[in-house]
Amino acid sequence: MPDSTDMFGGDPPEEEREEPQASAAELEAAGQSALFGAPADPVPPPMPPPPRAAVAHAAQPYRVLARKYRPQTFSELIGQEAMVHTLANAIARERLAHAFLMTGVRGVGKTSTARLIAKALNCVGPDGQGGPTIDPCGQCEPCTAIAEGRHIDVIEMDAASHTGVDDVREIIEAVRYAAVSARYKIYIIDEVHMLSRNAFNALLKTLEEPPAHVKFLFATTEADKLPVTVLSRCQRFDLRRIPTPMLQDHFAAICAREGVDAEADALAMIAAAAEGSVRDGLSILDQAIAHADLDTGGMVTAAKVRDMLGLADKTTQRELLVALLGGDGKALLELVDRQYALGVEPLALVRSVMELTHRITVAQIGGSAAEAPTAEERAAIEEWAGRLGPAQLHRLWQLLLKGYEEVRNAPDPLVSAQMALLRVMHAADMPDPGALARKLDEIAVNGVAPAAPDATGGGDAAPAALALGGDPARSWEALVEAVERCGLLLLGSKMRLQVRIVSLEPGRIAYALASGFTQDLGPELRDGLLQATGQRWETELRPDGGMPSLSEQDNARVAEAQAAVRRDPLVEAAFAAFPAAELVDDEQPLPMGRRQWN
């Protein structure tokens, strides 16, 4: 039995005392020594834990610019002032719809707008006493929870992965219950056009008459795929594309906040490549920042952005247009080969020339090229706008557009681009249709220039020269032929059939009408002779007289020729043998149904 001293607090015997417990570090060191041998140096003491801020900074992953700079207030939402103004008035007047539809191209802020509306409707202010507002505080619990995507009463659903009736049935069953902590229970359905037809039909009744505490916010890029019954139950907002200058200013502000230097030309290229989408532009800007060289301080330069996007140099664009308009095929092919070797796609090359043509046309109409990023480009555009005609620019655009389609569908884009640009170059020398029409009008008015007589004297004389002297019959026939060469064939036929010349002098004609014709041809004669000779003529209609008309003269010559033929002894013998025979002229057309015998 042990001593009482040991039981009630006395010191235990020497052999019964407990060994001191080893620390975790000592046990680990001992285990390492047993397995791998004792370390050469003593185990250093453990390092003190780093500060919490340093741990949080090291553990936080990088957020891309498109997520980092997602709008948190309506004031940060750029390019949608009309929608913000409408929502502000609706909130101020307490005329809030129960369903909103945001539509537009990608990256213009549809889902961000839906989340901002959810904030605006559920914000309670920093003191917890506020109501719906167009300027949510961003500090209260609903605002912070919605921004972090963890609010229980704001349900965000992707319609692309929840397309069936069962998914909509869950919404229909849940809308009957009031919101847990927020003012409104809000359903945000992204890409709502992906819902099936049956799912839309199941949602119609609830969408038309939802409970007062429920709001539906729909976002889609293809509003035309939504049933009309759904569109009629929603208040629709069409979010516009963001203009390129506004995108450029927005990207410049983001670069300043990120501490990144960027050239204005580089930001202009990124804004143009974004095609009105903020998200696309921020993704390209993120890539451009990563693509920038470290030895230049990480500056985003136009050359780097051009290489990254595979764009043609602005100087090359202008050189291409100079070669096209100047007809320099060799320089044109060299420029195309050089750009292709640098990695520029042929389709992008043709598109760059199209963009330059469009900018010249717009500058010609507006009278300014102020949107050009550099002074050199502005000067070149203004010079072309003043030198090229509108018809030439439009023809150039049509040819480039046709070439663009050919390059896009061709098996060899490079060869197709070369052939298309060469076709444009050769067509640049052709007169435009307007100038060609004016030239034809001038020819019709002034007549065709007389050809120089050849050595044999067989050249045709001008009608005016024939009309000044000589035989009146020949002069009148020359005038008729000049009228017919101007394209006035009907008037020429009337002049041959109806006009009997009484007297013909330079600038004056007196005539009578052939038998069977009563309509005065004076006005038509004056206009036709003005176009054919380029001078004004006086006409006088006589009641009778005059030499036979040209048609009557032709008939008289034919009759005389037939009479001479009939007087031939062989022909007389043939008619004697065949009294019913007829004399047929090979050069005259036969009546329909008659056959010509040789």
Side-chain angles (χ1 to χ4, degrees):
M1 183 174 181
D3 193 349
S4 59
T5 304
D6 298 336
M7 295 179 63
F8 298 100
D11 294 334
E14 184 74 21
E15 61 276 5
E16 294 182 6
R17 294 178 182 176
E18 296 180 359
E19 294 293 334
Q21 297 293 329
S23 64
E26 293 174 347
L27 290 175
E28 183 178 359
Q32 294 289 333
S33 301
L35 290 174
F36 306 105
D41 298 328
V43 180
M47 297 293 294
R52 294 187 60 184
V55 174
H57 180 73
Q60 184 178 5
Y62 173 72
R63 297 181 66 193
V64 296
L65 298 180
R67 294 185 58 192
K68 184 176 181 180
Y69 292 98
R70 183 185 290 269
Q72 299 300 321
T73 61
F74 281 103
S75 61
E76 298 178 2
L77 189 66
I78 63 173
Q80 313 299 339
E81 291 78 9
M83 181 195 65
V84 175
H85 184 70
T86 303
L87 289 175
N89 291 342
I91 292 174
R93 299 174 183 176
E94 297 182 355
R95 299 177 63 90
L96 290 169
H98 59 272
F100 297 90
L101 173 64
M102 274 69 66
T103 180
V105 299
R106 73 216 177 275
V108 293
K110 299 182 296 297
T111 308
S112 299
T113 300
R115 294 174 182 174
L116 291 178
I117 294 176
K119 280 186 182 180
L121 298 182
N122 287 329
C123 179
V124 296
D127 56 356
Q129 303 298 323
T133 175
I134 196 63
D135 296 316
C137 65
Q139 302 175 7
C140 62
E141 175 59 24
C143 286
T144 55
I146 293 173
E148 296 174 1
R150 55 179 177 82
H151 200 289
I152 193 173
D153 292 321
V154 178
I155 300 94
E156 188 169 345
M157 186 181 81
D158 178 21
S161 56
H162 300 80
T163 61
V165 178
D166 294 337
D167 301 302
V168 174
R169 186 179 293 116
E170 294 179 3
I171 298 176
I172 297 173
E173 293 176 354
V175 297
R176 296 179 296 176
Y177 303 102
V180 177
S181 61
R183 187 180 295 112
Y184 294 102
K185 179 181 286 188
I186 296 177
Y187 289 91
I188 301 175
I189 303 181
D190 199 8
E191 299 300 334
V192 68
H193 67 276
M194 300 293 289
L195 289 178
S196 64
R197 180 177 296 275
N198 293 333
F200 276 124
N201 293 333
L203 186 62
L204 286 180
K205 187 61 178 177
T206 304
L207 185 61
E208 183 176 8
E209 298 177 356
H213 61 272
V214 174
K215 302 291 183 184
F216 288 98
L217 304 178
F218 299 149
T220 179
T221 55
E222 303 181 35
D224 56 331
K225 291 186 178 181
L226 269 66
V228 180
T229 51
V230 174
L231 294 174
S232 63
R233 289 168 167 82
C234 300
Q235 191 172 99
R236 176 172 173 171
F237 293 103
D238 289 277
L239 278 68
R240 301 177 299 176
R241 291 180 183 268
I242 312 302
T244 300
M246 186 178 293
L247 278 178
Q248 183 177 351
D249 296 339
H250 183 60
F251 297 157
I254 289 178
C255 288
R257 295 173 63 179
E258 291 288 320
V260 176
D261 295 330
E263 295 180 355
D265 290 354
L267 295 180
M269 292 178 187
I270 295 174
E275 297 181 348
S277 172
V278 181
R279 184 173 62 238
D280 287 6
L282 289 177
S283 299
I284 298 174
L285 179 60
D286 221 340
Q287 183 181 358
I289 294 174
H291 188 70
D293 292 332
L294 295 178
D295 54 359
T296 60
M299 173 177 283
V300 179
T301 61
K304 287 295 182 181
V305 173
R306 188 182 302 112
D307 293 341
M308 182 186 72
L309 297 178
L311 299 177
D313 188 1
K314 295 293 183 183
T315 304
T316 304
Q317 292 180 13
R318 297 192 293 271
E319 292 177 351
L320 272 174
L321 190 58
V322 169
L324 284 175
L325 298 177
D328 193 349
K330 182 178 180 181
L332 178 66
L333 294 180
E334 289 178 355
L335 287 170
V336 173
D337 293 339
R338 187 193 313 164
Q339 291 297 301
Y340 186 75
L342 293 175
V344 179
E345 293 296 329
L347 192 64
L349 192 64
V350 177
R351 182 173 180 177
S352 66
V353 183
M354 293 175 63
E355 292 175 354
L356 183 57
T357 304
H358 171 259
R359 298 177 68 178
I360 295 172
T361 306
V362 172
Q364 188 179 69
I365 296 175
S368 174
E371 294 185 359
T374 62
E376 182 183 1
E377 186 173 356
R378 284 194 295 271
I381 290 176
E382 290 176 353
E383 192 270 335
W384 274 317
R387 179 164 60 91
L388 300 176
Q392 189 175 4
L393 288 172
H394 287 293
R395 186 172 71 252
L396 182 62
W397 170 264
Q398 292 295 332
L399 292 170
L400 289 172
L401 183 61
K402 180 176 177 58
Y404 182 85
E405 295 295 333
E406 293 176 356
V407 174
R408 186 172 61 178
N409 299 322
D412 191 340
L414 176 61
V415 174
S416 179
Q418 291 174 341
M419 297 301 296
L421 291 175
L422 287 174
R423 182 176 64 225
V424 174
M425 181 193 70
H426 291 300
D429 297 333
M430 297 175 59
D432 60 88
L436 187 59
R438 288 192 297 271
K439 185 66 176 177
L440 292 176
D441 291 340
E442 293 176 0
I443 294 176
V445 172
N446 301 327
V448 181
D454 55 12
T456 60
D460 295 333
L466 291 175
L468 293 178
D471 187 4
R474 291 181 176 274
S475 301
W476 174 244
E477 186 175 4
L479 285 175
V480 173
E481 292 176 355
V483 170
E484 291 175 341
R485 283 197 300 269
C486 292
L488 305 176
L489 300 180
L490 180 59
L491 177 59
S493 177
K494 291 180 180 180
M495 294 168 68
R496 291 181 179 276
L497 289 172
Q498 305 179 26
V499 177
R500 292 176 175 176
I501 297 298
V502 177
S503 64
L504 181 61
E505 300 175 1
R508 189 178 184 279
I509 180 175
Y511 66 97
L513 293 178
S515 59
F517 299 98
T518 59
Q519 183 181 2
D520 185 13
L521 298 178
E524 293 185 61
L525 283 176
R526 288 191 291 270
D527 294 340
L529 292 174
L530 175 62
Q531 293 188 32
T533 63
Q535 61 179 351
R536 298 188 178 278
W537 286 72
E538 295 181 4
T539 60
E540 180 184 357
L541 178 61
R542 300 285 179 87
D544 53 12
M547 62 183 182
S549 66
L550 295 179
S551 179
E552 291 173 339
Q553 295 177 20
D554 291 339
N555 293 335
R557 284 194 294 268
V558 171
E560 183 180 356
Q562 290 181 350
V565 171
R566 291 182 69 94
R567 289 193 297 268
D568 187 91
L570 293 177
V571 176
E572 290 180 351
F575 273 103
F578 303 97
E582 295 182 6
L583 184 63
V584 177
D585 188 359
D586 291 343
E587 298 179 358
Q588 298 295 327
L590 292 176
M592 185 175 297
R594 299 281 300 275
R595 296 183 59 187
Q596 178 172 345
W597 298 90
N598 294 325

